[in-house]
Amino acid sequence: MGIVDEIKQRIDIVEVVSQYAALKKTGRTFRALCPFHSEKHPSFFVYPEQQNWHCFGACNAGGDVFSFVMKKEGIDFGEALRLLAQKAGVTIPSRFEPEAGKEERERLYQVNQAAAQYFNNLLLNSPAGEKAGEYFAGRGLSPKTIADFQLGFSLNSWDALKQYLMERGYTENELLTAGLVIEAEVGGTHDRFRNRLMFPIFDIRGRIVGFGARVPDDSLPKYLNSPQTLIFDKSSCLYGINLATAAIRQQDLVVIVEGYMDVITAHQNGFNNVVASMGTSVTEKQVGTLKRLTRNMALALDADAAGEEAMLRAVGYENTLEAEVKVIILPKGKDPDNVIREDAKIWQNFLEEALPIVDYTFNMLTAELDLNTAKGKSLAVDKLLPIVAEMKDTVRQAHYLQKLARLVKVSQHSLEATLGKIKPSQGKRQAKEPGQERITQARRPLLSSPVEEYCLALLLQHPELKSRNEGLSPEYFENSENREIFTAWQQANAPSSLKDGLDSAIWEHLDSLITRSLPANQIEQKYANCVLRLREKFLRGLEIKRAELLALEAESGGTAAELAKLEEQGIEVSVQLGEVFTQRSRGNQKQRR
Ligand SMILES: [Zn+2]
């Protein structure tokens, strides 16, 4: 999730606005005298469900929490972002501070590289590293593989690494920041990694951001990782990604496994599109990184680990990727490392037999139910319908709805009715693990805006559209970051100068739009449709809000003049909506001809 989304998830617009205006709750909305213009009768509204605001008075404007703070404080997007981040308790990663911390980060990459070389040298050239060397040799690793992954070994010593690095000019503080040493309870610091097999973790650009470490025997804890640092965030790393990007692009497929050894063995056997997730589940950030390389993802899951939990998340990945996720089911107790070492051909077969993860979930969840009984049917629906409800792609959703209907021999129609009652996030909320991530994900569908993003991706990737005036206006973009990008695009003379006009916190979002894969045909037609849909969405939103307001006013006995004015504005919106429909039907006729 981007930093902008993260802030939005954590901040409640009602709370923010109430610091500037005396909000009063009226039904599902909050109302106040507009903080932007002077008025006697409140025409300013905040909508907690949509997390946005609108002034029906002189401003006749609205937006999200960012645009509110920008307007109210008279600051730009970047400043609003930092202000709200502070309120939300979100630390803005230093990579978004263009220059600040750059040197510090550079230094961390260097110290990690120096440590990796030290560990690697111990593995290859010291008597102490012999056992570790035997371990890797026992797993069949070649010297080339050990060099490619810069594998290493850490001594069973409290300060060997610390001394080595400090002799080379790194300070104790830098070693602490890099997570290579830790503070001891008795004071002072000591090496974090002792007597372990060392796996440097690289980012996509080939810089070492941290380390994974494994014990050379069966003692516990088996694995130890670098802590979160300025440059290491476990949830966004993918082990092996530095060596896998070319193959992922080429094969248009990424295979995700769990362990370091799984990746290494796969690569040594020529399966170069394999990366590991650094934990049991794949994160939204990781999927975001992979999406720039391919839409096709296959998860290699241990038969035991392939639980409901993973399945539920998978639909989230599918929504992010806008593609189907497949699953490779391994025999009980086996991991890719075992399978490939035994016979690479078997692994190849597993790959070819990968199943769409939703189909697999259907099979797995219904295997233990008796679908001839009422109880079995209702259990199947209870378990599977929330998964179907999560799907954003309506065509796929319809497909699986049909499948479920056939399975339980119930009419599709009645399932659809139940589906309508399930909020998109319900399935997630039912899952067991109530973490931060889950809560934020639950609100996510509300805040993302696929049409806005699709439209921007078209504009950014097709400069020729700039000359086409379809009447697209910044106010059609409800999300501030999208609005910012659109405005910058309007003002930029060349695509390359786009970033100059944008806060660096939005660059990541911008990059994802620029690299998003789009269909290649009928671009102008698609753009025109997009603009129509955005206009319609905007006008409809306005209409709904105005109707609510009108009802409120009528109830509380608003003056005739006010009511008339609202009616008038409402008519204006209806006329514009009518225009949208006329244009659309004209467009459809054109297509049919
Ligand atoms: Zn106003």
Side-chain angles (χ1 to χ4, degrees):
M1 192 185 332
I3 187 79
V4 177
D5 281 333
E6 196 172 335
I7 292 169
K8 279 192 187 174
Q9 306 283 13
R10 298 233 193 145
I11 268 215
D12 182 12
I13 192 169
V14 176
E15 230 165 81
V16 173
V17 173
S18 61
Q19 286 161 11
Y20 302 92
L23 289 175
K24 263 200 195 133
K25 195 163 200 301
T26 49
R28 284 181 305 169
T29 62
F30 288 83
R31 183 173 196 174
L33 288 172
C34 179
F36 301 122
H37 80 275
S38 145
E39 62 179 3
K40 291 204 178 93
H41 187 75
S43 54
F44 177 86
F45 285 77
V46 173
Y47 303 87
E49 282 168 26
Q50 293 99 328
Q51 288 288 305
N52 60 26
W53 60 276
H54 196 91
C55 167
F56 290 95
C59 305
N60 194 23
D64 62 8
V65 68
F66 285 91
S67 64
F68 178 85
V69 173
M70 284 160 73
K71 201 167 153 81
K72 193 59 210 160
E73 299 279 352
I75 55 183
D76 68 20
F77 182 84
E79 290 165 322
L81 178 88
R82 278 154 193 89
L83 197 131
L84 287 171
Q86 213 176 14
K87 273 196 216 283
V90 173
T91 319
I92 297 186
S94 48
R95 62 177 191 268
F96 294 135
E97 304 292 353
E99 287 309 311
K102 197 174 169 188
E103 266 170 47
E104 200 183 354
R105 291 199 302 278
E106 221 32 74
R107 201 62 189 153
L108 292 185
Y109 294 128
Q110 282 170 18
V111 72
N112 280 341
Q113 183 58 50
Q117 266 158 14
Y118 172 74
F119 294 142
N120 182 250
N121 187 38
L122 282 175
L123 173 72
L124 299 178
N125 304 316
S126 80
E130 262 172 38
K131 264 231 145 92
E134 279 164 22
Y135 176 91
F136 286 130
R139 297 292 194 105
L141 299 195
S142 70
K144 179 179 183 299
T145 299
I146 290 177
D148 286 347
F149 286 88
Q150 292 193 39
L151 302 178
F153 174 69
S154 56
L155 289 178
N156 194 4
S157 149
W158 291 97
D159 63 355
L161 176 72
K162 181 177 152 185
Q163 282 196 5
Y164 173 84
L165 291 172
M166 285 177 72
E167 276 164 22
R168 272 151 193 83
Y170 295 99
T171 66
E172 190 172 19
N173 206 18
E174 283 172 331
L175 301 186
L176 260 177
T177 317
L180 290 168
V181 301
I182 45 180
E183 276 176 62
E185 276 172 36
V186 290
T189 60
H190 63 74
D191 288 2
R192 176 185 298 272
F193 304 110
R194 299 180 310 279
N195 191 29
R196 280 173 187 267
L197 310 171
M198 300 301 298
F199 301 82
I201 298 162
F202 295 81
D203 66 8
I204 199 162
R205 291 163 62 181
R207 300 172 300 197
I208 299 177
V209 291
F211 290 90
R214 187 198 192 285
V215 289
D217 47 43
D218 288 327
S219 60
L220 294 169
K222 200 165 162 193
Y223 282 100
L224 185 69
N225 281 326
S226 292
Q228 173 119 5
T229 70
L230 267 180
I231 57 170
F232 183 58
D233 172 13
K234 205 175 133 195
S235 70
S236 63
C237 287
L238 288 156
Y239 184 71
I241 188 73
N242 55 314
L243 301 172
T245 44
I248 294 172
R249 276 215 175 92
Q250 209 171 29
Q251 299 176 38
D252 196 15
L253 170 72
V254 60
V255 177
I256 301 183
V257 296
E258 264 180 45
Y260 302 130
M261 284 308 298
D262 298 330
V263 173
I264 297 171
T265 304
H267 279 244
Q268 179 166 303
N269 286 274
F271 302 103
N272 292 323
N273 60 339
V274 177
V275 298
S277 58
M278 309 283 306
T280 44
S281 63
V282 187
T283 68
E284 204 51 49
K285 277 186 202 164
Q286 291 166 333
V287 177
T289 304
L290 293 171
K291 189 180 172 179
R292 290 172 206 173
L293 304 172
T294 179
R295 300 258 158 166
N296 300 310
M297 183 164 127
L299 300 170
L301 297 173
D302 178 308
D304 297 324
E308 257 172 87
E309 185 65 29
M311 302 298 152
L312 265 179
R313 284 171 190 265
V315 176
Y317 310 152
E318 290 185 342
N319 288 338
T320 306
L321 287 168
E322 291 157 36
E324 188 169 72
V325 171
K326 290 196 171 170
V327 62
I328 300 163
I329 301 297
L330 298 169
K332 236 181 173 68
K334 296 243 169 154
D335 50 31
D337 176 31
N338 303 139
V339 175
I340 299 170
R341 266 190 297 134
E342 263 168 41
D343 189 349
K345 273 195 209 116
I346 296 182
W347 173 250
Q348 186 63 42
N349 289 346
F350 278 128
L351 280 178
E352 281 157 17
E353 283 162 18
L355 272 180
I357 197 163
V358 180
D359 289 294
Y360 175 74
T361 312
F362 267 66
N363 295 349
M364 196 191 61
L365 292 182
T366 51
E368 43 198 57
L369 299 174
D370 180 359
L371 293 178
N372 292 314
T373 65
K375 194 180 167 211
K377 286 181 186 185
S378 101
L379 274 174
V381 171
D382 281 355
K383 285 183 171 180
L384 294 170
L385 203 56
I387 294 175
V388 178
E390 290 282 329
M391 294 176 181
K392 272 194 195 162
D393 182 332
T394 48
V395 177
R396 297 193 61 225
Q397 190 173 52
H399 169 82
Y400 283 105
L401 207 57
Q402 216 170 37
K403 178 167 177 166
L404 182 57
R406 271 203 310 267
L407 211 60
V408 297
K409 301 189 190 73
V410 166
S411 82
Q412 200 180 329
H413 188 72
S414 76
L415 284 182
E416 267 162 20
T418 322
L419 188 74
K421 285 182 210 142
I422 300 180
K423 291 259 157 56
S425 52
Q426 193 172 320
K428 291 226 164 95
R429 261 190 238 116
Q430 280 173 344
K432 289 152 220 151
E433 198 181 295
Q436 184 83 37
E437 198 185 355
R438 190 156 302 284
I439 294 161
T440 53
Q441 273 182 5
R443 275 180 58 188
R444 205 177 158 71
L446 198 73
L447 299 176
S448 73
S449 35
V451 189
E452 287 184 11
E453 286 171 14
Y454 185 75
C455 187
L456 283 176
L458 279 174
L459 286 177
L460 293 167
Q461 295 180 28
H462 295 276
E464 72 273 15
L465 292 174
K466 193 154 186 177
S467 60
R468 286 182 62 104
N469 182 8
E470 298 282 350
L472 191 57
S473 146
E475 62 183 347
Y476 294 170
F477 293 92
E478 212 161 72
N479 277 340
S480 281
E481 63 275 32
N482 291 338
R483 200 182 277 190
E484 286 286 307
I485 290 174
F486 177 70
T487 324
W489 171 84
Q490 277 184 314
Q491 287 159 0
N493 296 319
S496 55
S497 66
L498 204 56
K499 277 191 176 170
D500 300 343
L502 281 172
D503 192 273
S504 54
I506 311 183
W507 289 359
E508 205 173 341
H509 184 50
L510 177 72
D511 286 338
S512 78
L513 295 171
I514 291 175
T515 53
R516 175 183 289 215
S517 60
L518 290 174
N521 57 347
Q522 292 187 301
I523 294 302
E524 297 202 341
Q525 176 72 36
K526 284 184 175 121
Y527 172 60
N529 280 339
C530 238
V531 176
L532 272 181
R533 281 185 65 190
L534 280 179
R535 184 179 298 142
E536 185 190 346
K537 188 172 142 246
F538 171 74
L539 292 170
R540 273 194 190 286
L542 213 56
E543 199 181 47
I544 291 166
K545 285 171 181 168
R546 200 180 307 281
E548 275 176 15
L549 173 62
L550 201 61
L552 262 174
E553 288 287 316
E555 224 173 81
S556 64
T559 66
E562 280 154 3
L563 288 176
K565 193 177 150 223
L566 281 169
E567 290 278 21
E568 208 175 287
Q569 286 178 339
I571 291 163
E572 184 57 35
V573 172
S574 314
V575 170
Q576 289 182 36
L577 260 177
E579 281 168 14
V580 170
F581 291 124
T582 320
Q583 282 184 41
R584 172 168 298 165
S585 59
R586 256 190 236 132
N588 286 344
Q589 275 165 9
K590 229 188 265 168
Q591 268 180 330
R592 252 179 253 130
R593 258 179 240 154

